[in-house]
Amino acid sequence: MGANFDIDLLPEAIEFLEKLDDKAREKVYYNLKKSQFAVDNELFKKLNNYIWEFRTLYNNNSYRLFAFWDKTEEQETLVIATHGILKKTQKTPTREIKKAEEIRKGYLDNKSKKK
């Protein structure tokens, strides 16, 4: 069985992952891969109409990678990870969701200019 979607990491998401210690980074990558094959809100959760989050709990730390679907092509199987945070509170910070929305808008604007 193939993956439900592909994942593309934007530079800020890659930078976030590179700053994590090896074990935490491995767990995040493991969960990213797992989320491609299983529908699980504990791994990949919708936050609003456009923004989703990849969720990883490791060593009592909650890691979040914000993402959106790139549905501008015929295929709707590409998820773009914008950036990540170490979540310290119960509620996802609104400013991080807004940041992901702004990155999404810039990405889609840039993509439409290339056509």
Side-chain angles (χ1 to χ4, degrees):
M1 184 175 159
N4 295 321
F5 54 84
D6 291 323
I7 301 170
D8 192 6
L9 301 173
L10 294 181
E12 202 169 328
I14 293 168
E15 188 178 309
F16 169 75
L17 291 168
E18 286 175 349
K19 289 180 181 175
L20 300 179
D21 70 61
D22 290 346
K23 294 282 187 194
R25 185 180 325 106
E26 285 174 24
K27 179 69 175 191
V28 172
Y29 277 121
Y30 172 81
N31 281 350
L32 286 173
K33 192 60 140 173
K34 191 173 172 185
S35 71
Q36 292 178 282
F37 295 92
V39 177
D40 184 347
N41 267 354
E42 292 302 309
L43 295 176
F44 190 49
K45 182 179 176 184
K46 187 173 187 176
L47 297 177
N48 66 22
N49 287 341
Y50 304 110
I51 305 303
W52 293 64
E53 68 179 354
F54 289 104
R55 305 156 55 103
T56 299
L57 181 62
Y58 176 73
N59 246 2
N60 292 323
N61 289 317
S62 294
Y63 300 95
R64 300 292 188 261
L65 271 178
F66 295 91
F68 62 90
W69 292 84
D70 180 352
K71 295 184 178 186
T72 55
E73 302 296 326
E74 281 74 49
Q75 62 177 15
E76 297 185 3
T77 58
L78 181 61
V79 175
I80 310 295
T82 60
H83 70 289
I85 63 167
L86 174 58
K87 191 172 164 200
K88 298 181 191 231
T89 62
Q90 203 63 11
K91 191 164 168 41
T92 302
T94 306
R95 73 179 180 278
E96 298 298 339
I97 296 171
K98 291 215 179 306
K99 180 178 181 177
E101 289 171 340
E102 289 170 15
I103 293 170
R104 175 185 174 272
K105 183 180 180 322
Y107 171 89
L108 295 175
D109 287 349
N110 190 34
K111 187 172 181 176
S112 69
K113 288 176 186 172
K114 289 180 179 177
K115 286 186 175 183

